[in-house]
Amino acid sequence: MYQLLRAPLQPVTYSRWLHLCVPTLLLALWMFIKPAWPWMPLVIVIPFGLVPWVRLAEGLQAQFLLTPHDRGNPDSGISAAPSARWGDRWRTLLWLEARLVIALAAMAATVLLPVTTVELIAAALGHPLNSDLLIPFAPPRWAAALLVPVPLVLLVVIVVLLGELVTSVAHRLLGPSAAERLTALEARTEQLLERTRIARELHDSIGHALTVAVLQAGAARAAGDPEFTDRALGAIEETGRVALEDLERVLLVLRESPQPASQRPTLAEADRLLESARASGAEVDAQLKGRLELLPGPVTREGYRILQEALTNVLRHCGPVPVRVRVEMAVGRLDMEVTNPLPEGPTFMPGSGSGLRGMRERAALLGGEAETGPFEGGWRVRARLPLERMSAYGLFSPVAYGRTSPALTAGSGSTAEDLG
């Protein structure tokens, strides 16, 4: 009842009313051609319902007039796409037929009820009524005056109810099919995954650069040595330059640039991470075994980020402490391990813990695993990334690391980025 009282003040009531009146133009045009066959428009629309682009036009019109508050919303329940299958075409045909029938009822009410109101006004003013009018009898003037608003109220009620009916039918017959829902869900999932990946890229690269810069600046101020300060400023400059390059890569992705994924940093460039940590005062004992430049694109890129996050966490939480780094290409997998002693006092910098979760997620996306936690009185990050899965896609051959797979070039990414 409350919705009926509010209906005359809602713009959607009149937009739906307009939607109900549009199909009657076809009926009115046909009445000039063959008034004896008023049912003929129901036959005329049959071939139009089988045209794929008619579904697109009807969907856009329904979104604009029936659900204007949800226009542009992919979850509005009304599809705006051409018919892709015969099932969509038959549903479009049924929609055209139902729309004509509902529109005919709406137009009858739109014409007859206002005419009835005019007749009641005439009767209330004392004008004589003839037999051609809609009112079957001449009511007393006082009764006619009381009945004047009734047809208009009834018209509003009918328009609101028919508007709700045609909207419900539109959701059912013009709504997305199961295939369209699946496509939209896949697109939404891809979008969320891409946003998550970009967030990880920013967290890893920019977080590492800021951590190194803060440590270098603090050490330079505490040392009070001009020569040490010059070296610290040089390290900050180099780290900032690398961070800007990483940031530019991420921005190119956001701009939908055709920047290939292979230009992202890889484990073949791990030396710059190690030198950055050493420049911050950490004693890094690193052993990199195997030809890392032959790693598949997804493994080498995600491995670089895992190593970067592990070193960043050491500098952020423990400061310039000894760090042991081991990266080895074993048979069928890449093993990575970063260990360091824990500080005796409180952590050097607070953190949210998202970096540890990010490392585990990166490894899981490749079918591997990453473990983080206390180990023999210190802290250890260990990751194992499988290589067999990559070879199944023709990207890597886990035999004799001295040979290069025909499908692999150094730093290649190709379509394997989808796996990472």
Side-chain angles (χ1 to χ4, degrees):
M1 180 61 69
Y2 178 68
Q3 292 182 349
L4 289 176
L5 295 177
R6 290 180 52 196
L9 304 178
Q10 300 295 321
V12 69
T13 300
Y14 303 97
S15 65
R16 289 177 176 177
W17 196 350
L18 176 61
H19 184 274
L20 291 169
C21 293
V22 168
T24 58
L25 297 176
L26 176 61
L27 179 61
L29 180 62
W30 178 256
M31 294 303 291
F32 285 103
I33 301 174
K34 195 71 172 178
W37 295 352
W39 46 267
M40 195 62 184
L42 295 174
V43 179
I44 294 176
V45 299
I46 292 177
F48 291 98
L50 303 180
V51 177
W53 291 100
V54 171
R55 182 176 181 82
L56 171 62
E58 290 294 321
L60 291 174
Q61 187 180 153
Q63 286 184 358
F64 187 79
L65 296 176
L66 297 181
T67 58
H69 48 282
D70 288 335
R71 189 168 64 252
N73 183 2
D75 300 326
S76 62
I78 297 179
S79 175
S83 300
R85 296 169 178 79
W86 277 102
D88 296 335
R89 298 180 185 184
W90 292 119
R91 291 169 65 204
T92 304
L93 173 58
L94 186 58
W95 157 254
L96 293 176
E97 301 287 355
R99 185 182 178 188
L100 274 174
V101 173
I102 298 174
L104 182 60
M107 182 53 62
T110 300
V111 173
L112 298 179
L113 292 177
V115 171
T116 303
T117 298
V118 173
E119 294 178 359
L120 289 173
I121 294 175
L125 296 177
H127 295 284
L129 302 178
N130 55 49
S131 59
D132 296 333
L133 299 181
L134 296 177
I135 300 178
F137 60 91
R141 295 179 60 181
W142 61 269
L146 292 177
L147 293 175
V148 164
V150 173
L152 297 180
V153 173
L154 185 59
L155 175 61
V156 173
V157 172
I158 292 176
V159 168
V160 171
L161 294 179
L162 291 180
E164 291 290 340
L165 175 62
V166 75
T167 303
S168 176
V169 174
H171 279 101
R172 182 173 296 274
L173 297 180
L174 294 181
S177 62
E180 291 173 335
R181 290 191 183 96
L182 181 59
T183 301
L185 180 60
E186 290 176 348
R188 176 66 172 166
T189 302
E190 289 294 331
Q191 183 183 25
L192 292 176
L193 289 175
E194 182 66 12
R195 290 174 59 184
T196 301
R197 188 185 69 80
I198 292 174
R200 287 183 187 142
E201 293 288 328
L202 287 174
H203 175 273
D204 293 347
S205 61
I206 306 304
H208 175 78
L210 291 177
T211 299
V212 171
V214 169
L215 286 173
Q216 291 285 352
R221 183 178 60 179
D225 182 0
E227 183 177 353
F228 181 83
T229 300
D230 289 341
R231 292 198 304 270
L233 290 176
I236 291 174
E237 179 183 6
E238 178 62 24
T239 303
R241 185 179 295 111
V242 173
L244 286 176
E245 293 175 359
D246 286 343
L247 181 60
E248 183 63 23
R249 292 189 186 99
V250 175
L251 292 179
L252 286 173
V253 173
L254 292 175
R255 296 172 188 148
E256 298 183 357
S257 168
Q259 175 90 347
S262 58
Q263 294 189 19
R264 289 165 53 195
T266 66
L267 277 177
E269 307 169 60
D271 287 343
R272 74 179 188 182
L273 286 178
L274 303 176
E275 290 302 322
S276 176
R278 292 188 180 105
S280 300
E283 299 178 8
V284 181
D285 174 19
Q287 290 184 8
L288 309 179
K289 297 182 180 180
R291 299 184 62 180
L292 301 181
E293 69 274 8
L294 299 183
L295 285 170
V299 174
T300 188
R301 288 190 292 271
E302 299 304 327
Y304 179 92
R305 292 306 186 190
I306 291 174
L307 178 60
Q308 183 182 52
E309 179 62 26
L311 293 175
T312 301
N313 285 341
V314 172
L315 297 174
R316 176 182 295 150
H317 299 293
C318 302
V321 298
V323 185
R324 182 175 177 269
V325 177
R326 297 290 184 268
V327 178
E328 181 179 1
M329 293 175 62
V331 177
R333 71 175 190 272
L334 174 69
D335 292 336
M336 302 177 60
E337 184 175 286
V338 179
T339 58
N340 62 275
L342 292 174
E344 297 180 358
T347 57
F348 187 76
M349 290 184 186
S352 63
S354 60
L356 301 180
R357 183 175 64 252
M359 286 188 286
R360 292 190 290 267
E361 290 175 351
R362 287 182 183 277
L365 283 174
L366 297 175
E369 59 180 0
E371 301 174 357
T372 60
F375 177 74
E376 296 182 355
W379 186 269
R380 181 179 69 174
V381 173
R382 184 173 64 176
R384 291 174 176 166
L385 307 180
L387 303 180
E388 291 94 338
R389 178 175 297 185
M390 302 298 113
S391 64
Y393 291 87
L395 296 172
F396 181 77
S397 177
V399 298
Y401 301 126
R403 297 201 305 269
T404 304
S405 172
L408 177 68
T409 57
S412 66
S414 80
T415 57
E417 175 62 13
D418 296 337
L419 299 176

